[in-house]
Amino acid sequence: MKKSALVLFTLAAMAGTSSLALAQASEGVLTIATIGEPPTLDVMQTPTDIVLTIDQHIFETLYTYDAQWKSVPLLAAGMPEVSEDGLTYKIALREGVKFHDGSDLDAKDVTASLNRWMAINSKGKQVAALVESLTEDGGNAVVIKLKSRYAPLLATLSQASVIMPSEKIADTLTEFVGTGPYALKERKPDQYTQLVRFEDYKSPEGEISNYAGKREAIAKEIRFVPVPDANTRVEGLISGQFDYADSLPVSAYERVEASDSAKPVIFKNAGWASMNMNMQQGLLTKKELRQAVQVALNPNDMMLAAFSDDRFFSVDASIFPEESFWHTEAGVARYGEGDPEAAAKLLEAAGYDGTPIRLMTSRQYEFHYKIGEVAKAYLEAAGFKVDLQVVDWATLTTRRADPKEWDIFITHSNFPGDPTTINTITDTYPGWYVSEQKAKAVATYMEATTDEAKKAAWDAIQTVIYDDAPLYKVGNFNAVSGVANGVTGYEPTYWPHFWNVTPKQ
């Protein structure tokens, strides 16, 4: 043991310091292999996963997500005070929070940041259309007045609406200054993004829960290295070049597990796979035929073909997974083992004329392709004719925008903090899920002001989704990453984060 480490250990023991506080003294570096180079560090402009992963260490939002994906305070001092009519939100700010440039967080920084977010971010623009005013209430609170109730407000304030000093705000950011546990030191495109511990960081209180709770900047430095090739990430992890490697192929699990330098990490319910149906044109404009598709399919067989091992997937009819606040069995129908005979009866009753279903998938996501192969077999067993069209992902995303070109396409999504922000159930997403009963159910949700009312409204929305059959949820998939032996405190989350993580000695 080095002398300096021995002294720290002795002092900590004498003071009764916790192991987490002791770990604060680390001079270690965490080297993180990411899936690629971030296009920007301006997360308001480009809220992609890679940008969110890095930026969450630099910037913070008023609210963040706990383990149930409920929005809880981060820079806010508590949950908002909401007026009886549900239109006015008063949000107090935590005191004593500093930016990386040494300035103090105040209400002016929040209003300036949120105004920028509402001007340039896609979800921010949605919120802006509903905001009557955004004002400061003294130095340590802001007030948002809405034109109409908007239940997803806190969820949208929990992602990408980062707070920065008002003096640093510009159309194009030149300085990336936040309140997070790490500050940006240097970025060399295609080489690394280097973050260093912010010594004056003020952590929120509370038990660690997903992104919520206490945050400790234990590592002195975090270095994010873009490594687009998955096999290179695997080799670098095993060789000791990386302390963490993101998004590894499931086929690498055993190899990493067998190494003496690293261990694989499974993040449960990283996302869900779905088959989206065209409700605007073509064969599946008939609800009865969409329901026949649901009855015909076997989700377990499709997910097993896609992921080979049940360690890497789960089958669950609820659109949200069990750990989520939004998990519910409400309305579940036509989901299970696949019943070709029952599906055939629905086909006959709907007057199916033998027109082939155009099923689009891509091999760039190999699991999409494998799901498509099994789906084709089950649909044909029920009596459908199927035209399986295998195209590259760019072609698929272009073609799915044209309702004349397809009947079903396969995709995947993450689980957002608010159910009404799921792409696949919005009116304008390819598939064009528009129905009167959905509109009524969503309107009820938007009026909700409590978690209990939102949950009841979401139960009703899921019930409508199963009846309208705009999509077929195939199943939930897990993500594989890897962490070097000796690195402690890492807990998997959708956007991997490295506060509370101790580097290897």
Side-chain angles (χ1 to χ4, degrees):
M1 182 180 290
K2 291 183 179 179
K3 183 177 179 182
S4 58
L6 179 61
V7 170
L8 286 170
F9 180 82
T10 304
L11 290 173
M14 290 173 63
T17 307
S18 71
S19 60
L20 189 59
L22 172 61
Q24 271 188 291
S26 171
E27 294 298 303
V29 176
L30 290 169
T31 303
I32 311 302
T34 67
I35 62 168
E37 173 68 16
T40 177
L41 292 181
D42 186 352
V43 72
M44 289 189 189
Q45 293 275 16
T46 311
T48 55
D49 286 347
I50 182 60
V51 179
L52 284 160
T53 293
I54 296 173
D55 269 31
Q56 64 185 334
H57 298 81
I58 304 170
F59 297 105
E60 293 178 315
T61 47
L62 292 174
Y63 294 91
T64 191
Y65 301 119
D66 70 6
Q68 288 192 309
W69 287 87
K70 292 169 68 176
S71 293
V72 295
L74 181 52
L75 288 177
M79 298 302 285
E81 295 178 21
V82 183
S83 61
E84 278 192 35
D85 61 9
L87 299 179
T88 302
Y89 288 67
K90 181 179 178 180
I91 301 171
L93 307 178
R94 286 199 292 121
E95 297 186 9
V97 175
K98 289 187 176 294
F99 288 105
H100 301 151
D101 63 1
S103 62
D104 295 312
L105 169 72
D106 62 22
K108 183 179 179 181
D109 302 311
V110 174
T111 56
S113 298
L114 293 184
N115 279 324
R116 182 178 190 267
W117 172 70
M118 288 190 291
I120 67 173
N121 181 268
S122 58
K123 285 197 166 54
K125 289 177 182 178
Q126 293 175 19
V127 172
L130 298 166
V131 171
E132 182 176 300
S133 65
L134 169 63
T135 57
E136 297 144 29
D137 185 0
N140 272 340
V142 297
V143 176
I144 301 172
K145 290 187 176 180
L146 302 175
K147 299 172 185 175
S148 59
R149 288 186 179 185
Y150 187 65
L153 180 62
L154 293 192
T156 55
L157 289 175
S158 301
Q159 182 182 319
S161 56
V162 297
I163 308 302
M164 57 190 75
S166 57
E167 299 83 4
K168 307 293 185 185
I169 290 175
D171 290 341
T172 301
L173 294 182
T174 56
E175 295 181 71
F176 298 88
V177 178
T179 59
Y182 289 88
L184 176 66
K185 182 176 181 181
E186 184 178 25
R187 181 186 175 201
K188 288 194 172 182
D190 298 317
Q191 294 184 50
Y192 60 80
T193 301
Q194 181 187 17
L195 310 184
V196 293
R197 184 166 56 216
F198 178 39
E199 301 294 350
D200 290 330
Y201 178 66
K202 184 170 183 180
S203 171
E205 298 298 322
E207 186 176 337
I208 296 168
S209 175
N210 203 16
Y211 301 100
K214 196 163 184 63
R215 299 180 171 192
E216 298 280 353
I218 298 172
K220 183 179 182 181
E221 177 185 326
I222 305 175
R223 190 171 289 227
F224 293 93
V225 180
V227 186
D229 183 76
N231 290 325
T232 304
R233 293 197 296 276
V234 173
E235 297 304 323
L237 177 69
I238 290 173
S239 70
Q241 181 182 0
F242 306 130
D243 296 298
Y244 175 87
D246 196 18
S247 297
L248 303 184
V250 295
S251 58
Y253 186 93
E254 277 75 18
R255 182 144 190 269
V256 174
E257 189 175 42
S259 76
D260 57 5
S261 55
K263 56 182 176 290
V265 176
I266 291 180
F267 173 52
K268 287 185 63 180
N269 300 319
W272 57 295
S274 63
M275 298 173 61
N276 293 262
M277 299 188 238
N278 187 344
M279 291 180 59
Q280 191 172 101
Q281 289 189 36
L283 186 68
L284 297 180
T285 54
K286 281 189 176 181
K287 181 198 285 192
E288 295 80 6
L289 289 180
R290 297 196 302 272
Q291 291 183 344
V293 169
Q294 291 178 315
V295 171
L297 295 172
N298 183 306
N300 192 73
D301 283 0
M302 288 189 284
M303 293 299 284
L304 188 60
F307 294 97
S308 304
D309 189 314
D310 60 13
R311 287 177 298 179
F312 306 126
F313 73 89
S314 60
V315 169
D316 183 356
S318 171
I319 291 176
F320 281 81
E322 287 187 8
E323 293 81 1
S324 170
F325 175 74
W326 305 108
H327 183 271
T328 178
E329 297 296 328
V332 170
R334 297 173 299 280
Y335 186 90
E337 296 303 311
D339 188 339
E341 291 183 5
K345 289 178 182 177
L346 287 173
L347 289 184
E348 184 178 358
Y352 176 60
D353 62 3
T355 301
I357 287 181
R358 295 161 297 172
L359 171 57
M360 276 202 305
T361 190
S362 171
R363 292 204 82 143
Q364 280 174 274
Y365 292 106
E366 186 69 11
F367 72 97
H368 290 190
Y369 170 69
K370 290 177 178 177
I371 287 171
E373 282 191 309
V374 177
K376 179 178 186 290
Y378 272 96
L379 290 170
E380 288 178 339
F384 281 106
K385 290 183 179 177
V386 180
D387 175 13
L388 182 64
Q389 300 180 358
V390 183
V391 298
D392 62 76
W393 185 246
T395 299
L396 187 148
T397 56
T398 300
R399 192 179 291 176
R400 73 183 181 185
D402 185 347
K404 299 189 299 294
E405 291 290 321
W406 60 278
D407 298 300
I408 300 176
F409 75 88
I410 296 170
T411 190
H412 69 275
S413 313
N414 71 330
F415 296 102
D418 186 273
T420 59
T421 62
I422 294 174
N423 285 334
T424 50
I425 65 167
T426 57
D427 290 358
T428 57
Y429 187 78
W432 303 280
Y433 175 25
V434 177
S435 83
E436 186 176 339
Q437 63 173 348
K438 186 194 82 167
K440 288 180 179 177
V442 170
T444 300
Y445 182 94
M446 291 300 177
E447 289 286 314
T449 57
T450 66
D451 283 343
E452 292 75 17
K454 290 178 187 177
K455 182 65 164 55
W458 169 243
D459 286 357
I461 293 172
Q462 180 170 287
T463 299
V464 167
I465 290 169
Y466 265 95
D467 182 62
D468 282 335
L471 58 86
Y472 183 85
K473 179 187 174 180
V474 186
N476 305 332
F477 58 86
N478 303 334
V480 178
S481 59
V483 64
N485 291 339
V487 173
T488 59
Y490 176 74
E491 292 292 336
T493 49
Y494 182 77
W495 300 289
H497 67 271
F498 302 95
W499 56 83
N500 301 337
V501 177
T502 304
K504 59 191 176 187
Q505 300 299 313

